[in-house]
Amino acid sequence: MMDRIAGLGRLGIAIIASFGRSGQFLFGVLAGVPRPATGFPLLIKQLYAVGVLSLAIVVVSGLFIGMVLGLQGYTILSDYGSESAIGQMIALTLVRELGPVVTALLFAGRAGSALTAEIGLMKATEQLSSMEMMGVDPLRRVVAPRLWAGFLAMPVLAMIFSVVGIWGGMLVGVEWLGVFEGSFWGNMQSSVDFVDDVLNGFIKSVVFGFVCAWIAVYQGYDCVPTSAGISSATTKTVVYSSLAVLGLDFVLTAVMFGDF
Amino acid sequence: MESSAYITLRDVVFSRSGRRIFDGISLDIPKGKVTAIMGPSGTGKTTLLRLIGGQLRPDSGQVIVAGHDVPRLKRKALYQLREKMGMLFQSGALFTDLSVYENVAFPLRVHTSLPEDMIRDIVLMKLEAVGLRGARELMPSELSGGMTRRVALARSIALDPELIMYDEPFAGQDPIAMGVLVKLIRDLNSSMGLTSVLVSHDVPESLSICHYACIIADGKVIGEGTPEELRAHPSERVQQFLEGQPDGPVPFHYPSGDAAADFGVGGRSS
Amino acid sequence: MAQRSTEIIVGLFMVAGLAALMFLALQVSGLSPKSAEQTYTLYANFNDTGGLTPRGKVSMAGVTVGTIESITLDRETFQARVTMSIHAEVDNIPADSAAVIRTSGLLGEQYIDISIGGDLESLNAGDTFYSTQSAMNLERLISNFASGR
């Protein structure tokens, strides 16, 4: 019995130590701002790998989610005779919530796990060590560009998601189900506020992007340098990122959209 | 009789995960010569290289490289010291997303602001020294194990270091590749005036090229000297290691209980 | 290397993001470039503001002429005091106009509608509406109906 409690205590301490390490790690990454000449091409390369290559999954998901929102929304609203409110329903749902959150979850699954696996593999094949021995700081050269790329790419992906979703919803609502196009856009415009909705959604996606990218690169950097270790780290990235995004979403929504 | 020591370890104690890897170890590595550090697997030979390179800090004791007290160096000074060191990792550790040429050019691009044509000349010279000038456009995934190590070697001498460390360079190599590496290590050492530290448990190859050797076991040095001195060393442990005897001070059997009890022989009541 | 084409693609990616932001700004939220307009403040006191909220619209003859800035409780008169920002160009609201709380549509966002009076003088900045009509209260309506009033 005492062993179990001691084990639990050890686990708790290990978790806190891990938080501490990841904080130190983050500080090391942010403090080592790369020189513009060398850092910028690295950033571009990572933006491509993280952002552009995630576009496919984001666009397809956005389209389908938007279309489903259109379908479901129409069914529900037609009970109240308010089908013309479908535009604002889709837009608000996407811009405030689904855009940032779903994009972040997709990002964690696709780009986050790829980042973790890549950095973990570099650690396991001693590439990071050899970089250190050559006098190059791997945090600056390998980790920082990837962190910044995730941080910059996420908001872009979230906005593209929202736009594609709204367009998908329009396809279903206006073209297929016959909602009047003018009222679709008109109601949307009168109820979506740029600062309160679009900008808040944007802020959310920036925060999510930062957190997902941080978790992904940290798990890769901190993993046990074996193939089992890498796969475990990749799983952890996806799980922790998803939980963090959903938890933060609640906090941010309460702060931004609550009335207190 | 010794040239001045390039690397000195004094009473270094280092533990990891509760295990004492080094228990007050002291050794000197002479400048300009090839020194082999040998010992059974798991005695911490790679850890020793990491202590020298400053990747790990000892619990106590001194690690002095070229006059610098390595564990006490600040980050920037440590990185500058590392520019004078080259290290060849066991797996080569080439950057998989760069070509052979770019891998060798990497340290030059990072630490110098030489123009592109000078970098090209240096890279090609280093590749020529290891015999792989024609392979410069290949990617690491297209190289054989031996070629990977040679490229990694070219990379580690790109900045003309003073010290070069080899971590198990002979492990798993076919005879020809082995011969190539042996030749390169010796030739580079004399032509570039390097101090070379070779960590290996491959006795014949290591002794054939080194000027000086240390055998480490149980966290301490159990024998050191020139190859001739070691072959005539009185210690039984040293002899067992050098000769490759399966049983001796390092026993064949892992500690276990009474054999009779395990096999149920003699004394079964039923 | 393929560095150039990578740069171009990443550039396009960022431009796409910017375009999405523009789309969200203009088409989805109806942000209009001339929204930094001049406004002046008018006040109105109501017995019951019902479901009126800040950011609600103020309209006249169905056209939006302003927004509700805030709703506070006047502790002296126990009435609700609504602060409105009216577009500067709508500067000729007759001084005896009434502010009426109406409900739009069935899902019912409530808004303030200005019912025109006949006075030749106009309301100035900082003036208070003389007559107001509070929000329609469903229970009161039903009880009025039931008691035959």
PDB file of all heavy atoms in Angstrom, chain A residues 128-155:
ATOM      1  N   LEU A 128      21.485  15.347 -33.230  1.00  0.00           N
ATOM      2  CA  LEU A 128      21.464  16.515 -32.344  1.00  0.00           C
ATOM      3  C   LEU A 128      22.766  16.590 -31.556  1.00  0.00           C
ATOM      4  O   LEU A 128      23.343  17.662 -31.374  1.00  0.00           O
ATOM      5  CB  LEU A 128      20.272  16.437 -31.388  1.00  0.00           C
ATOM      6  CG  LEU A 128      18.887  16.490 -32.023  1.00  0.00           C
ATOM      7  CD1 LEU A 128      17.816  16.467 -30.944  1.00  0.00           C
ATOM      8  CD2 LEU A 128      18.725  17.719 -32.878  1.00  0.00           C
ATOM      9  N   SER A 129      23.243  15.422 -31.090  1.00  0.00           N
ATOM     10  CA  SER A 129      24.501  15.408 -30.352  1.00  0.00           C
ATOM     11  C   SER A 129      25.645  15.886 -31.218  1.00  0.00           C
ATOM     12  O   SER A 129      26.497  16.660 -30.779  1.00  0.00           O
ATOM     13  CB  SER A 129      24.834  13.988 -29.879  1.00  0.00           C
ATOM     14  OG  SER A 129      24.190  13.700 -28.696  1.00  0.00           O
ATOM     15  N   SER A 130      25.663  15.403 -32.462  1.00  0.00           N
ATOM     16  CA  SER A 130      26.798  15.779 -33.306  1.00  0.00           C
ATOM     17  C   SER A 130      26.731  17.261 -33.643  1.00  0.00           C
ATOM     18  O   SER A 130      27.753  17.920 -33.774  1.00  0.00           O
ATOM     19  CB  SER A 130      26.858  14.927 -34.567  1.00  0.00           C
ATOM     20  OG  SER A 130      25.758  15.186 -35.383  1.00  0.00           O
ATOM     21  N   MET A 131      25.503  17.790 -33.721  1.00  0.00           N
ATOM     22  CA  MET A 131      25.387  19.231 -33.927  1.00  0.00           C
ATOM     23  C   MET A 131      25.967  19.981 -32.750  1.00  0.00           C
ATOM     24  O   MET A 131      26.701  20.958 -32.903  1.00  0.00           O
ATOM     25  CB  MET A 131      23.905  19.589 -34.055  1.00  0.00           C
ATOM     26  CG  MET A 131      23.563  20.324 -35.282  1.00  0.00           C
ATOM     27  SD  MET A 131      21.854  20.800 -35.246  1.00  0.00           S
ATOM     28  CE  MET A 131      21.209  19.680 -36.410  1.00  0.00           C
ATOM     29  N   GLU A 132      25.646  19.522 -31.541  1.00  0.00           N
ATOM     30  CA  GLU A 132      26.189  20.161 -30.348  1.00  0.00           C
ATOM     31  C   GLU A 132      27.696  20.104 -30.366  1.00  0.00           C
ATOM     32  O   GLU A 132      28.377  21.081 -30.048  1.00  0.00           O
ATOM     33  CB  GLU A 132      25.705  19.417 -29.102  1.00  0.00           C
ATOM     34  CG  GLU A 132      24.488  20.000 -28.472  1.00  0.00           C
ATOM     35  CD  GLU A 132      24.165  19.330 -27.155  1.00  0.00           C
ATOM     36  OE1 GLU A 132      25.091  18.830 -26.511  1.00  0.00           O
ATOM     37  OE2 GLU A 132      22.987  19.317 -26.801  1.00  0.00           O
ATOM     38  N   MET A 133      28.240  18.933 -30.721  1.00  0.00           N
ATOM     39  CA  MET A 133      29.683  18.777 -30.713  1.00  0.00           C
ATOM     40  C   MET A 133      30.346  19.635 -31.770  1.00  0.00           C
ATOM     41  O   MET A 133      31.527  19.936 -31.681  1.00  0.00           O
ATOM     42  CB  MET A 133      30.071  17.308 -30.948  1.00  0.00           C
ATOM     43  CG  MET A 133      29.809  16.421 -29.760  1.00  0.00           C
ATOM     44  SD  MET A 133      30.498  17.064 -28.247  1.00  0.00           S
ATOM     45  CE  MET A 133      32.227  17.027 -28.610  1.00  0.00           C
ATOM     46  N   MET A 134      29.575  20.011 -32.790  1.00  0.00           N
ATOM     47  CA  MET A 134      30.157  20.896 -33.802  1.00  0.00           C
ATOM     48  C   MET A 134      29.998  22.350 -33.426  1.00  0.00           C
ATOM     49  O   MET A 134      30.266  23.241 -34.209  1.00  0.00           O
ATOM     50  CB  MET A 134      29.468  20.660 -35.144  1.00  0.00           C
ATOM     51  CG  MET A 134      30.035  19.519 -35.899  1.00  0.00           C
ATOM     52  SD  MET A 134      29.324  19.502 -37.513  1.00  0.00           S
ATOM     53  CE  MET A 134      28.111  18.266 -37.284  1.00  0.00           C
ATOM     54  N   GLY A 135      29.472  22.574 -32.224  1.00  0.00           N
ATOM     55  CA  GLY A 135      29.340  23.956 -31.782  1.00  0.00           C
ATOM     56  C   GLY A 135      28.113  24.652 -32.322  1.00  0.00           C
ATOM     57  O   GLY A 135      28.042  25.865 -32.345  1.00  0.00           O
ATOM     58  N   VAL A 136      27.137  23.864 -32.766  1.00  0.00           N
ATOM     59  CA  VAL A 136      25.887  24.467 -33.237  1.00  0.00           C
ATOM     60  C   VAL A 136      24.798  24.125 -32.229  1.00  0.00           C
ATOM     61  O   VAL A 136      24.644  22.978 -31.846  1.00  0.00           O
ATOM     62  CB  VAL A 136      25.496  23.889 -34.615  1.00  0.00           C
ATOM     63  CG1 VAL A 136      24.140  24.396 -35.043  1.00  0.00           C
ATOM     64  CG2 VAL A 136      26.544  24.259 -35.633  1.00  0.00           C
ATOM     65  N   ASP A 137      24.056  25.112 -31.801  1.00  0.00           N
ATOM     66  CA  ASP A 137      23.015  24.878 -30.821  1.00  0.00           C
ATOM     67  C   ASP A 137      21.788  24.258 -31.501  1.00  0.00           C
ATOM     68  O   ASP A 137      21.135  24.916 -32.301  1.00  0.00           O
ATOM     69  CB  ASP A 137      22.641  26.217 -30.169  1.00  0.00           C
ATOM     70  CG  ASP A 137      21.653  26.042 -29.035  1.00  0.00           C
ATOM     71  OD1 ASP A 137      21.258  24.903 -28.744  1.00  0.00           O
ATOM     72  OD2 ASP A 137      21.276  27.062 -28.441  1.00  0.00           O
ATOM     73  N   PRO A 138      21.494  22.985 -31.201  1.00  0.00           N
ATOM     74  CA  PRO A 138      20.362  22.375 -31.909  1.00  0.00           C
ATOM     75  C   PRO A 138      19.031  23.043 -31.597  1.00  0.00           C
ATOM     76  O   PRO A 138      18.120  23.016 -32.412  1.00  0.00           O
ATOM     77  CB  PRO A 138      20.372  20.919 -31.432  1.00  0.00           C
ATOM     78  CG  PRO A 138      21.226  20.871 -30.240  1.00  0.00           C
ATOM     79  CD  PRO A 138      22.137  22.040 -30.271  1.00  0.00           C
ATOM     80  N   LEU A 139      18.917  23.668 -30.417  1.00  0.00           N
ATOM     81  CA  LEU A 139      17.671  24.372 -30.111  1.00  0.00           C
ATOM     82  C   LEU A 139      17.446  25.481 -31.123  1.00  0.00           C
ATOM     83  O   LEU A 139      16.362  25.718 -31.608  1.00  0.00           O
ATOM     84  CB  LEU A 139      17.719  24.961 -28.707  1.00  0.00           C
ATOM     85  CG  LEU A 139      17.588  23.981 -27.550  1.00  0.00           C
ATOM     86  CD1 LEU A 139      17.576  24.740 -26.247  1.00  0.00           C
ATOM     87  CD2 LEU A 139      16.340  23.159 -27.680  1.00  0.00           C
ATOM     88  N   ARG A 140      18.542  26.177 -31.444  1.00  0.00           N
ATOM     89  CA  ARG A 140      18.416  27.302 -32.350  1.00  0.00           C
ATOM     90  C   ARG A 140      18.183  26.846 -33.778  1.00  0.00           C
ATOM     91  O   ARG A 140      17.418  27.422 -34.520  1.00  0.00           O
ATOM     92  CB  ARG A 140      19.728  28.072 -32.327  1.00  0.00           C
ATOM     93  CG  ARG A 140      19.570  29.517 -32.156  1.00  0.00           C
ATOM     94  CD  ARG A 140      20.860  30.169 -32.491  1.00  0.00           C
ATOM     95  NE  ARG A 140      21.205  31.154 -31.528  1.00  0.00           N
ATOM     96  CZ  ARG A 140      22.118  32.078 -31.715  1.00  0.00           C
ATOM     97  NH1 ARG A 140      22.796  32.076 -32.832  1.00  0.00           N
ATOM     98  NH2 ARG A 140      22.367  32.950 -30.803  1.00  0.00           N
ATOM     99  N   ARG A 141      18.884  25.781 -34.150  1.00  0.00           N
ATOM    100  CA  ARG A 141      18.900  25.436 -35.555  1.00  0.00           C
ATOM    101  C   ARG A 141      17.759  24.508 -35.958  1.00  0.00           C
ATOM    102  O   ARG A 141      17.201  24.612 -37.022  1.00  0.00           O
ATOM    103  CB  ARG A 141      20.217  24.759 -35.902  1.00  0.00           C
ATOM    104  CG  ARG A 141      20.266  24.588 -37.359  1.00  0.00           C
ATOM    105  CD  ARG A 141      21.618  24.182 -37.850  1.00  0.00           C
ATOM    106  NE  ARG A 141      21.516  24.013 -39.275  1.00  0.00           N
ATOM    107  CZ  ARG A 141      21.837  24.945 -40.162  1.00  0.00           C
ATOM    108  NH1 ARG A 141      22.316  26.083 -39.738  1.00  0.00           N
ATOM    109  NH2 ARG A 141      21.690  24.718 -41.436  1.00  0.00           N
ATOM    110  N   VAL A 142      17.460  23.578 -35.076  1.00  0.00           N
ATOM    111  CA  VAL A 142      16.461  22.580 -35.426  1.00  0.00           C
ATOM    112  C   VAL A 142      15.104  22.898 -34.810  1.00  0.00           C
ATOM    113  O   VAL A 142      14.080  22.849 -35.467  1.00  0.00           O
ATOM    114  CB  VAL A 142      16.939  21.185 -34.952  1.00  0.00           C
ATOM    115  CG1 VAL A 142      15.827  20.185 -35.034  1.00  0.00           C
ATOM    116  CG2 VAL A 142      18.120  20.736 -35.774  1.00  0.00           C
ATOM    117  N   VAL A 143      15.108  23.234 -33.516  1.00  0.00           N
ATOM    118  CA  VAL A 143      13.841  23.350 -32.806  1.00  0.00           C
ATOM    119  C   VAL A 143      13.148  24.680 -33.052  1.00  0.00           C
ATOM    120  O   VAL A 143      11.955  24.723 -33.351  1.00  0.00           O
ATOM    121  CB  VAL A 143      14.069  23.144 -31.294  1.00  0.00           C
ATOM    122  CG1 VAL A 143      12.784  23.343 -30.551  1.00  0.00           C
ATOM    123  CG2 VAL A 143      14.615  21.757 -31.042  1.00  0.00           C
ATOM    124  N   ALA A 144      13.908  25.780 -32.927  1.00  0.00           N
ATOM    125  CA  ALA A 144      13.248  27.089 -33.026  1.00  0.00           C
ATOM    126  C   ALA A 144      12.505  27.308 -34.341  1.00  0.00           C
ATOM    127  O   ALA A 144      11.357  27.764 -34.320  1.00  0.00           O
ATOM    128  CB  ALA A 144      14.283  28.197 -32.785  1.00  0.00           C
ATOM    129  N   PRO A 145      13.111  26.995 -35.511  1.00  0.00           N
ATOM    130  CA  PRO A 145      12.334  27.214 -36.741  1.00  0.00           C
ATOM    131  C   PRO A 145      11.025  26.441 -36.740  1.00  0.00           C
ATOM    132  O   PRO A 145      10.004  26.939 -37.212  1.00  0.00           O
ATOM    133  CB  PRO A 145      13.261  26.705 -37.851  1.00  0.00           C
ATOM    134  CG  PRO A 145      14.612  26.715 -37.267  1.00  0.00           C
ATOM    135  CD  PRO A 145      14.445  26.468 -35.819  1.00  0.00           C
ATOM    136  N   ARG A 146      11.040  25.215 -36.202  1.00  0.00           N
ATOM    137  CA  ARG A 146       9.820  24.426 -36.193  1.00  0.00           C
ATOM    138  C   ARG A 146       8.781  25.002 -35.256  1.00  0.00           C
ATOM    139  O   ARG A 146       7.578  24.997 -35.558  1.00  0.00           O
ATOM    140  CB  ARG A 146      10.138  22.972 -35.817  1.00  0.00           C
ATOM    141  CG  ARG A 146      10.877  22.259 -36.923  1.00  0.00           C
ATOM    142  CD  ARG A 146      11.421  20.909 -36.488  1.00  0.00           C
ATOM    143  NE  ARG A 146      11.906  20.146 -37.617  1.00  0.00           N
ATOM    144  CZ  ARG A 146      13.080  20.329 -38.195  1.00  0.00           C
ATOM    145  NH1 ARG A 146      13.884  21.253 -37.752  1.00  0.00           N
ATOM    146  NH2 ARG A 146      13.437  19.596 -39.229  1.00  0.00           N
ATOM    147  N   LEU A 147       9.221  25.526 -34.122  1.00  0.00           N
ATOM    148  CA  LEU A 147       8.268  26.130 -33.192  1.00  0.00           C
ATOM    149  C   LEU A 147       7.609  27.347 -33.807  1.00  0.00           C
ATOM    150  O   LEU A 147       6.390  27.512 -33.793  1.00  0.00           O
ATOM    151  CB  LEU A 147       8.991  26.517 -31.893  1.00  0.00           C
ATOM    152  CG  LEU A 147       8.088  27.073 -30.797  1.00  0.00           C
ATOM    153  CD1 LEU A 147       7.213  25.979 -30.244  1.00  0.00           C
ATOM    154  CD2 LEU A 147       8.910  27.696 -29.690  1.00  0.00           C
ATOM    155  N   TRP A 148       8.409  28.216 -34.389  1.00  0.00           N
ATOM    156  CA  TRP A 148       7.860  29.425 -34.993  1.00  0.00           C
ATOM    157  C   TRP A 148       6.977  29.092 -36.196  1.00  0.00           C
ATOM    158  O   TRP A 148       5.958  29.742 -36.427  1.00  0.00           O
ATOM    159  CB  TRP A 148       8.982  30.372 -35.420  1.00  0.00           C
ATOM    160  CG  TRP A 148       9.666  31.008 -34.262  1.00  0.00           C
ATOM    161  CD1 TRP A 148      10.922  30.742 -33.807  1.00  0.00           C
ATOM    162  CD2 TRP A 148       9.130  31.994 -33.392  1.00  0.00           C
ATOM    163  NE1 TRP A 148      11.186  31.512 -32.697  1.00  0.00           N
ATOM    164  CE2 TRP A 148      10.118  32.285 -32.427  1.00  0.00           C
ATOM    165  CE3 TRP A 148       7.911  32.656 -33.320  1.00  0.00           C
ATOM    166  CZ2 TRP A 148       9.927  33.210 -31.410  1.00  0.00           C
ATOM    167  CZ3 TRP A 148       7.729  33.586 -32.306  1.00  0.00           C
ATOM    168  CH2 TRP A 148       8.721  33.855 -31.375  1.00  0.00           C
ATOM    169  N   ALA A 149       7.366  28.070 -36.929  1.00  0.00           N
ATOM    170  CA  ALA A 149       6.544  27.702 -38.090  1.00  0.00           C
ATOM    171  C   ALA A 149       5.162  27.265 -37.644  1.00  0.00           C
ATOM    172  O   ALA A 149       4.151  27.661 -38.240  1.00  0.00           O
ATOM    173  CB  ALA A 149       7.226  26.596 -38.887  1.00  0.00           C
ATOM    174  N   GLY A 150       5.099  26.460 -36.582  1.00  0.00           N
ATOM    175  CA  GLY A 150       3.796  26.014 -36.091  1.00  0.00           C
ATOM    176  C   GLY A 150       2.966  27.185 -35.604  1.00  0.00           C
ATOM    177  O   GLY A 150       1.772  27.298 -35.888  1.00  0.00           O
ATOM    178  N   PHE A 151       3.623  28.090 -34.896  1.00  0.00           N
ATOM    179  CA  PHE A 151       2.982  29.258 -34.338  1.00  0.00           C
ATOM    180  C   PHE A 151       2.412  30.154 -35.429  1.00  0.00           C
ATOM    181  O   PHE A 151       1.334  30.724 -35.282  1.00  0.00           O
ATOM    182  CB  PHE A 151       4.054  29.973 -33.518  1.00  0.00           C
ATOM    183  CG  PHE A 151       3.643  31.246 -32.896  1.00  0.00           C
ATOM    184  CD1 PHE A 151       2.710  31.271 -31.895  1.00  0.00           C
ATOM    185  CD2 PHE A 151       4.210  32.425 -33.308  1.00  0.00           C
ATOM    186  CE1 PHE A 151       2.346  32.453 -31.293  1.00  0.00           C
ATOM    187  CE2 PHE A 151       3.861  33.609 -32.714  1.00  0.00           C
ATOM    188  CZ  PHE A 151       2.931  33.624 -31.710  1.00  0.00           C
ATOM    189  N   LEU A 152       3.123  30.273 -36.549  1.00  0.00           N
ATOM    190  CA  LEU A 152       2.651  31.145 -37.621  1.00  0.00           C
ATOM    191  C   LEU A 152       1.639  30.453 -38.521  1.00  0.00           C
ATOM    192  O   LEU A 152       0.733  31.080 -39.054  1.00  0.00           O
ATOM    193  CB  LEU A 152       3.831  31.614 -38.473  1.00  0.00           C
ATOM    194  CG  LEU A 152       4.796  32.575 -37.802  1.00  0.00           C
ATOM    195  CD1 LEU A 152       5.980  32.836 -38.714  1.00  0.00           C
ATOM    196  CD2 LEU A 152       4.105  33.876 -37.484  1.00  0.00           C
ATOM    197  N   ALA A 153       1.828  29.139 -38.702  1.00  0.00           N
ATOM    198  CA  ALA A 153       0.978  28.451 -39.675  1.00  0.00           C
ATOM    199  C   ALA A 153      -0.430  28.205 -39.150  1.00  0.00           C
ATOM    200  O   ALA A 153      -1.396  28.216 -39.914  1.00  0.00           O
ATOM    201  CB  ALA A 153       1.615  27.124 -40.079  1.00  0.00           C
ATOM    202  N   MET A 154      -0.564  27.968 -37.856  1.00  0.00           N
ATOM    203  CA  MET A 154      -1.871  27.619 -37.301  1.00  0.00           C
ATOM    204  C   MET A 154      -2.966  28.643 -37.580  1.00  0.00           C
ATOM    205  O   MET A 154      -4.046  28.273 -38.034  1.00  0.00           O
ATOM    206  CB  MET A 154      -1.758  27.385 -35.795  1.00  0.00           C
ATOM    207  CG  MET A 154      -1.960  25.960 -35.381  1.00  0.00           C
ATOM    208  SD  MET A 154      -3.576  25.317 -35.717  1.00  0.00           S
ATOM    209  CE  MET A 154      -4.537  26.274 -34.592  1.00  0.00           C
ATOM    210  N   PRO A 155      -2.755  29.937 -37.273  1.00  0.00           N
ATOM    211  CA  PRO A 155      -3.830  30.895 -37.547  1.00  0.00           C
ATOM    212  C   PRO A 155      -4.227  30.913 -39.016  1.00  0.00           C
ATOM    213  O   PRO A 155      -5.414  31.000 -39.343  1.00  0.00           O
ATOM    214  CB  PRO A 155      -3.222  32.241 -37.128  1.00  0.00           C
ATOM    215  CG  PRO A 155      -2.091  31.915 -36.262  1.00  0.00           C
ATOM    216  CD  PRO A 155      -1.587  30.599 -36.676  1.00  0.00           C
TER     217      PRO A 155
END
